[in-house]
Amino acid sequence: AGAGAVSEGPPHSPSPDGGWGWAVLLGCFVVTGFSYAFPKAVSVYFKALMRDFGVGYSDTAWISSIMLAMLYGTGPLSSILVNQFGCRPVMLAGGLLASSGMILASFTTRLVELYLTAGVLTGLGMALNFQPSLIMLGLYFDRRRPLANGLAAAGSPVFLSALSPLGQVLLEHFGWRGGFLLMGGLLLNCCTCGAVMRPLTGGPGARGGARPEEERLLDFSVFTDRGFVVYTIAKFILVLGLFVPTIMLVNYAKDAGVPDTDAAFLLSVIGFVDIVARPACGALAGLGRVRPHVTYLFSLAMLANGLTDLCSARARSYGALVGFCVAFGLSYGMVGALQFEVLMATVGAQRFPSAIGLVLLVEAVAVLIGPPSAGRLVDTLKNYEIIFYLAGSEVLLSALFLSTATYCCLRKPCGPELAPDPPPGARDTEEAEGLPSLDVDRAAYQPCSLSSSTLDVGMAHLFWAELSSMGTESLPL
């Protein structure tokens, strides 16, 4: 069922906000953990890869970048496959691909083979798990959706705090080849997560939710929504610098004289703080007074993250690096908890499958630019300080752009007076004269929404209220 298609089959089941949704949430938690933590945890093996293949840091950084680029860049493909086959089959195939990529990578003899296996295959497999899991989460949760997004996003720090030390242990005992082989086996758990994604009747995650002749595999109409365009531009700028500090951190600490085990533990510090930050921020975003302004909370989180990078650029001692990790983990966790909640609030559940695919495609370009460029600067300048300044500036710019554009271009008057009930008999008149219906779900209306369509609905209802006060006999025919 296309994201923008209208189903003629069974009605879309309401979001249960519980029940089997908790199993879906657990599956999304695991998939999110693998998708975001794996590209960072692989950086533990970079020193060994540089030694064995005789290459620089920027060359090995391409492994993480390609993995992330596939996670983002194949978003439209994932949207099409989900709309065609449903979430469960796509996730099962993705789990097998992700595992196969790491297993094949353990037998490679050239760096380009690592790019194709650990980068392309594993990245594609994780993409086919990540996006469908978010779609199913959005279908199973509505009232508790901010909290559900925060809990699911906590999978990233939980897995990062575990995978980074695990990778170091595997590297010491089995080398990078044995580590890749065993981590490939861990990725088979993504297949289990796909198996629990029970589709709701008629939803975008279910196969056959709309008649074939009405099916739209990718809904490009989201680009007509100003809120979506602003969000996409802000996320592109954000991703240029967001992942750079975590990818560079371990090797930065090692070059500063920190022992390998202690350097790997820095990612765990970020993970431990992140674990608390994401659910807490999700719960905060779900409060009645905060939820209509969640975009500004998202901007505040990005602002804090960028300032953390700038203020910690000269951190060299282990204590200073731990302090950076605590501050970074807090702000990074807030960003992770809110990013998809803001997108869902902007475009709605029905257009979310296409919207997330298109957003991830745009972000893929930024992922391919950010970390490799930072690695090239490190190889050239032999200085990590400028990397933190550059990454922090990019994150700050994204925060300022999103908040300013939202306030100046998308801000709307708040209050329920924007959406009065249409006069009695108005809906009957619409149906009799073939006019488009104004019967909207008032419970779903949120004042100060990012979506430009909300203002249109409010103005339409004001129009009907004005007609009601005039009386139908005064209408010009």
Side-chain angles (χ1 to χ4, degrees), residues 56-83:
Y57 185 80
S58 61
D59 296 310
T60 55
W62 272 100
I63 298 173
S64 293
S65 294
I66 293 174
M67 200 178 290
L68 287 169
M70 293 301 296
L71 177 66
Y72 291 130
T74 56
L77 173 62
S78 184
S79 294
I80 291 173
L81 292 176
V82 165
N83 288 327

Side-chain angles (χ1 to χ4, degrees), residues 293-383:
H293 309 287
V294 68
T295 305
Y296 294 109
L297 183 61
F298 184 43
S299 300
L300 181 62
M302 292 191 293
L303 183 70
N305 188 265
L307 289 175
T308 299
D309 291 342
L310 294 178
C311 295
S312 305
R314 296 190 176 185
R316 298 293 292 177
S317 67
Y318 190 69
L321 289 172
V322 170
F324 161 77
C325 291
V326 171
F328 185 89
L330 180 61
S331 57
Y332 185 81
M334 294 178 66
V335 171
L338 296 173
Q339 56 179 339
F340 296 115
E341 171 60 26
V342 173
L343 180 59
M344 288 180 185
T346 301
V347 301
Q350 286 301 311
R351 292 198 295 176
F352 181 72
S354 294
I356 187 176
L358 294 170
V359 167
L360 292 178
L361 176 61
V362 173
E363 291 181 27
V365 180
V367 170
L368 281 175
I369 295 174
S373 299
R376 185 67 64 184
L377 285 174
V378 170
D379 290 339
T380 303
L381 303 176
K382 307 300 181 184
N383 187 351

Side-chain angles (χ1 to χ4, degrees), residues 134-460:
L134 287 177
I135 293 172
M136 293 302 296
L137 189 68
L139 293 176
Y140 270 89
F141 289 90
D142 182 21
R143 181 173 57 86
R144 296 176 177 172
R145 192 183 66 206
L147 177 61
N149 273 316
L151 290 172
S156 174
V158 169
F159 275 64
L160 183 61
S161 62
L163 288 179
S164 182
L166 175 63
Q168 186 66 41
V169 171
L170 294 178
L171 176 63
E172 293 172 357
H173 287 80
F174 305 104
W176 68 266
R177 294 186 185 275
F180 276 23
L181 183 65
L182 292 173
M183 296 186 86
L186 286 177
L187 286 174
L188 285 174
N189 287 287
C190 292
C191 295
T192 306
C193 297
V196 305
M197 299 295 169
R198 180 189 301 166
L200 289 171
T201 305
R207 184 178 180 181
R211 296 183 303 185
E213 61 268 24
E214 294 176 342
E215 196 171 86
R216 283 191 289 172
L217 297 180
L218 201 59
D219 184 9
F220 289 94
S221 69
V222 292
F223 282 108
T224 63
D225 190 315
R226 289 176 298 170
F228 174 77
V229 174
V230 168
Y231 176 89
T232 303
I233 295 174
K235 280 301 294 292
F236 175 82
I237 302 172
L238 172 69
V239 172
L240 283 174
L242 183 64
F243 300 122
V244 170
T246 51
I247 292 177
M248 298 289 179
L249 181 61
V250 173
N251 285 286
Y252 173 43
K254 289 179 180 179
D255 287 350
V258 176
D260 290 358
T261 303
D262 292 339
F265 182 72
L266 289 173
L267 290 180
S268 298
V269 173
I270 295 178
F272 293 146
V273 177
D274 205 350
I275 290 170
V276 178
R278 297 199 184 209
C281 188
L284 175 64
L287 297 178
R289 292 181 178 272
V290 178
R291 193 170 186 183
H293 309 287
V294 68
T295 305
Y296 294 109
L297 183 61
F298 184 43
S299 300
L300 181 62
M302 292 191 293
L303 183 70
N305 188 265
L307 289 175
T308 299
D309 291 342
L310 294 178
C311 295
S312 305
R314 296 190 176 185
R316 298 293 292 177
S317 67
Y318 190 69
L321 289 172
V322 170
F324 161 77
C325 291
V326 171
F328 185 89
L330 180 61
S331 57
Y332 185 81
M334 294 178 66
V335 171
L338 296 173
Q339 56 179 339
F340 296 115
E341 171 60 26
V342 173
L343 180 59
M344 288 180 185
T346 301
V347 301
Q350 286 301 311
R351 292 198 295 176
F352 181 72
S354 294
I356 187 176
L358 294 170
V359 167
L360 292 178
L361 176 61
V362 173
E363 291 181 27
V365 180
V367 170
L368 281 175
I369 295 174
S373 299
R376 185 67 64 184
L377 285 174
V378 170
D379 290 339
T380 303
L381 303 176
K382 307 300 181 184
N383 187 351
Y384 284 89
E385 184 176 327
I386 191 173
I387 302 303
F388 282 84
Y389 283 131
L390 183 61
S393 300
E394 290 162 346
V395 176
L396 275 179
L397 178 61
S398 66
L400 295 175
F401 172 79
L402 181 61
S403 58
T404 303
T406 299
Y407 184 83
C408 296
C409 304
L410 303 174
R411 183 169 59 98
K412 305 172 181 65
C414 301
E417 65 274 11
L418 281 179
D421 284 320
R427 295 183 178 90
D428 296 336
T429 303
E430 296 156 17
E431 295 176 359
E433 305 213 1
L435 296 175
S437 174
L438 293 175
D439 188 10
V440 298
D441 182 7
R442 290 173 54 78
Y445 170 71
Q446 295 181 6
C448 301
S449 170
L450 276 179
S451 175
S452 58
S453 61
T454 302
L455 183 59
D456 298 334
V457 171
M459 293 303 295

